[in-house]
Amino acid sequence: MAITKDCALLPARKINGGPRVMATYYTDRKCISATEKINTNSSNMMALAPNTSKKRETVCIFGTGDFGRALGHKMIQCGYPVVYGSRSTQISNLIPKDAEVLSHAEAAQKAAIIIIAIQRQHYNFLTPLAEILRGKVVVDISNNLKLNQYPESNAEYLAQLLPGARVVKSFNTVSAWALQSGALDASRQVFVCGDDMEAKQMVMNIVRALGLTPLDQGSLLAAQEIENYPLQLFPMWKFPFFLSLGLTAFFFFYCLALDVIYTYIYENSNFSFFIAFTIPNRICPVMALILLGLVYLPGVLAAIIQLYRGTKYRRFPDWLDKWMLCRKQLGLIALAFASLHAVFTLASPLRSFVKWRTSKTIISQALNNKTEPLDTTNAWLSDSYLALGVIGFFFFVLVGITSLPSVSNSVNWREFRFVQSKLGYLTLILCTAHTLVYGGKWFLSPSAYKWYLPNIYMLSLVVPCAVLVVKFVLIFPCVDKPLTQIRQGWERNPKSSEQSNHIINKSAV
Ligand code: NAP
């Protein structure tokens, strides 16, 4: 995963030429999105025209709980005769009308495929049925309550209980509610894994017949990962979210100290109301700029590492690999902060403090009978910084929109890379210039250093300026040429990269 393949370095993670396999500026999920597009289309076609003319094989479902009933209902709709295996053979109103309900043993004998819609902790009851289930396709659909709850996956546990059965893991990522309500648009993909190819094909045929898209995940070893999948809580958002939260809290207290507490102590003025508007409107642009810088920082770090090692065939450190994978999320949070800053700025003239300050200036000019002449330098500065901000925000939105799967799937590799990399850097340059023009005049003024601390605008420039300076150095032909060669597969010392990968593989084993 962390091997330094060329595409892993680029903001746009696409494979050039041929059908696109993986695409990220921004993410690792796109490999699914790209295939999803093709598969969703085909599954749509199948959903519209299910092949009901062919007599379908009877399917047995163990368990008449929520999931068993919802799946049985959907299968009957798609033309499958369904027989339930249950502890109680009494027919209730909840059970789909055309389904039969028998004992587990009787039901299993009627079908070649048995779907186990029962929680893992009750699987023991299956042991006496091992002989009846020998040679049958047994589908494990179960989920757990916690990640890696058991040492082995539920499907592997089922395979241990039923050594003669052909166990397949599937359907665990589809909810009973979605099956019942038909709200399957967002979750059409159904992961399938198993050791028996024929059994897996039989399950995939059912998945397709239900209008869903099977995704073959390989052998039963993949079951644990498939079972963990529905339990993950925005895994790619954790680092960006906590980083943003931490930085926001830091800048909030920083501004509170300099803008409210300092002025209260040394100027005896109460500016506590800054907490509601001024401070958030200071933090938002600062966060947007820093996070945008952090989107492009791993790319330049990776380039430096590759130049230093003279190869792309060695793994990046884990932290860099993870950082690269969450650039989309960092970028989107940055865009959210930038949008908030735009809204705050537009609402600013409505503030009573701003109205008071404007009227105070006018009244003092009237009282002194003196009009301030227009300061053209200031006018240039303020117009320039506003224009840079507006254009920077425009490109920021453009880059954000292109990261949406629906948009990025409709552009080719070069277009995507152009927007994410070239326009992304242009956005970074414009936003950095916006901040520099706004705060530049203060940088040399001693009054800007309350308690000897720099203004947060100065702090916000550190990451983006560092990224832009390194990027500037990297585009020099004497640096760019060897880097391009490395990314095309050239190695300074091929033996050393082989050795280090061998060491990494051994330690991983
Ligand atoms: P459920 O409503 O609790 O139903 C489970 C069924 O298991 C019961 O109705 C019962 O059927 C049977 N059962 C209960 N105790 C048993 C025992 N001691 N021995 C034998 N059978 C027993 O659960 P569910 O929501 O349908 O979920 C079933 C499985 O599907 C679980 O493994 C779950 O992880 C998985 N799943 C559920 C969903 C969902 O949205 N609900 C989504 C994906 C996967 P009888 O009374 O007919 O015997």
Side-chain angles (χ1 to χ4, degrees):
M1 180 197 180
I3 286 182
T4 60
K5 293 245 191 280
D6 206 14
C7 59
L9 279 182
L10 300 171
R13 239 189 169 196
K14 295 182 175 186
I15 308 297
N16 198 359
R20 198 164 69 220
V21 182
M22 202 187 242
T24 355
Y25 154 57
Y26 274 73
T27 195
D28 59 329
R29 272 268 302 152
K30 297 244 61 250
C31 53
I32 291 174
S33 314
T35 41
E36 187 179 38
K37 204 180 156 199
I38 302 159
N39 292 334
T40 307
N41 288 345
S42 57
S43 68
N44 277 345
M45 278 154 43
M46 276 181 262
L48 287 172
N51 186 5
T52 45
S53 57
K54 225 165 74 183
K55 179 104 177 66
R56 299 206 190 272
E57 269 193 49
T58 302
V59 175
C60 166
I61 300 175
F62 277 5
T64 55
D66 291 342
F67 197 82
R69 289 196 313 269
L71 187 63
H73 186 72
K74 182 86 185 161
M75 284 187 153
I76 290 169
Q77 274 183 345
C78 295
Y80 283 95
V82 171
V83 54
Y84 282 101
S86 173
R87 291 166 304 171
S88 152
T89 52
Q90 269 185 346
I91 299 269
S92 90
N93 284 346
L94 293 170
I95 291 175
K97 217 167 56 186
D98 297 322
E100 248 186 298
V101 185
L102 303 171
S103 69
H104 291 116
E106 286 171 329
Q109 275 159 351
K110 288 208 160 194
I113 299 180
I114 292 99
I115 297 172
I116 314 291
I118 292 169
Q119 313 283 353
R120 171 190 166 131
Q121 59 268 33
H122 305 310
Y123 278 6
N124 278 341
F125 88 95
L126 290 166
T127 319
L129 299 172
E131 265 319 299
I132 296 173
L133 295 175
R134 184 170 290 280
K136 307 239 176 196
V137 178
V138 177
V139 187
D140 178 273
I141 59 157
S142 61
N143 282 320
N144 294 322
L145 294 177
K146 281 193 235 149
L147 287 171
N148 302 317
Q149 191 172 347
Y150 301 101
E152 76 289 89
S153 66
N154 298 349
E156 286 167 308
Y157 173 61
L158 188 61
Q160 284 166 21
L161 289 177
L162 307 171
R166 299 188 280 165
V167 175
V168 175
K169 177 91 204 173
S170 191
F171 286 112
N172 68 311
T173 50
V174 184
S175 75
W177 175 82
L179 278 172
Q180 232 159 11
S181 63
L184 285 161
D185 281 352
S187 54
R188 276 190 184 278
Q189 289 172 344
V190 175
F191 298 122
V192 183
C193 78
D195 294 336
D196 187 309
M197 204 55 211
E198 197 196 353
K200 216 159 48 170
Q201 273 306 331
M202 287 164 78
V203 176
M204 295 213 279
N205 287 343
I206 296 183
V207 173
R208 279 193 205 98
L210 300 188
L212 301 166
T213 309
L215 281 182
D216 189 346
Q217 297 293 297
S219 76
L220 216 55
L221 286 175
Q224 187 112 35
E225 206 172 309
I226 298 179
E227 283 166 18
N228 282 340
Y229 184 80
L231 296 172
Q232 284 172 352
L233 187 68
F234 304 116
M236 285 297 147
W237 285 89
K238 261 187 203 152
F239 169 68
F241 176 77
F242 286 113
L243 178 76
S244 314
L245 201 69
L247 283 176
T248 306
F250 169 75
F251 285 124
F252 176 79
F253 289 112
Y254 196 87
C255 290
L256 192 72
L258 298 193
D259 297 333
V260 179
I261 301 174
Y262 182 92
T263 39
Y264 186 75
I265 295 173
Y266 292 100
E267 293 163 21
N268 203 19
S269 313
N270 180 3
F271 282 123
S272 56
F273 62 92
F274 271 17
I275 290 171
F277 198 102
T278 307
I279 292 181
N281 198 23
R282 270 184 201 165
I283 293 172
C284 286
V286 164
M287 286 299 297
L289 192 57
I290 292 176
L291 293 179
L292 187 61
L294 291 178
V295 169
Y296 290 96
L297 186 57
V300 296
L301 288 179
I304 294 169
I305 291 174
Q306 287 189 326
L307 275 171
Y308 173 73
R309 289 174 172 173
T311 178
K312 69 168 183 174
Y313 295 114
R314 270 175 66 191
R315 284 180 168 208
F316 288 133
D318 266 3
W319 57 267
L320 185 57
D321 210 32
K322 283 183 188 146
W323 188 354
M324 295 228 261
L325 287 175
C326 63
R327 286 179 293 177
K328 172 179 178 168
Q329 288 72 14
L330 281 171
L332 289 177
I333 296 178
L335 179 57
F337 276 114
S339 310
L340 272 176
H341 172 52
V343 176
F344 268 123
T345 307
L346 288 175
S348 185
L350 302 176
R351 299 174 65 202
S352 76
F353 173 66
V354 174
K355 286 182 195 163
W356 168 82
R357 211 172 44 184
T358 314
S359 54
K360 190 181 147 212
T361 316
I362 295 167
I363 291 166
S364 87
Q365 285 186 23
L367 287 175
N368 295 332
N369 201 14
K370 189 176 149 214
T371 315
E372 293 273 332
L374 175 71
D375 182 344
T376 37
T377 315
N378 255 346
W380 259 109
L381 276 176
S382 91
D383 281 10
S384 311
Y385 109 83
L386 279 175
L388 284 165
V390 170
I391 301 169
F393 184 62
F394 170 76
F395 282 116
F396 210 150
V397 173
L398 203 68
V399 173
I401 289 174
T402 333
S403 76
L404 297 174
S406 51
V407 180
S408 59
N409 286 348
S410 63
V411 294
N412 67 27
W413 173 81
R414 206 166 164 205
E415 291 160 348
F416 185 82
R417 207 184 147 217
F418 172 78
V419 175
Q420 295 296 336
S421 180
K422 302 280 188 297
L423 289 191
Y425 267 108
L426 180 63
T427 308
L428 187 62
I429 292 171
L430 287 167
C431 293
T432 308
H434 169 66
T435 314
L436 268 170
V437 174
Y438 177 68
K441 60 183 176 191
W442 295 332
F443 290 177
L444 298 176
S445 153
S447 65
Y449 295 85
K450 296 171 185 169
W451 280 326
Y452 304 105
L453 292 170
N455 195 294
I456 60 163
Y457 295 114
M458 297 179 210
L459 295 181
S460 72
L461 286 164
V462 175
V463 176
C465 286
V467 172
L468 290 174
V469 168
V470 179
K471 183 70 187 171
F472 184 67
V473 174
L474 288 175
I475 56 174
F476 272 87
C478 57
V479 185
D480 183 50
K481 211 173 148 201
L483 184 63
T484 311
Q485 281 178 335
I486 288 168
R487 287 177 177 178
Q488 282 171 349
W490 176 82
E491 290 188 273
R492 201 184 303 130
N493 186 358
K495 274 191 183 156
S496 78
S497 68
E498 258 173 43
Q499 277 165 1
S500 59
N501 272 340
H502 186 65
I503 292 166
I504 290 169
N505 288 341
K506 264 178 111 178
S507 61
V509 169

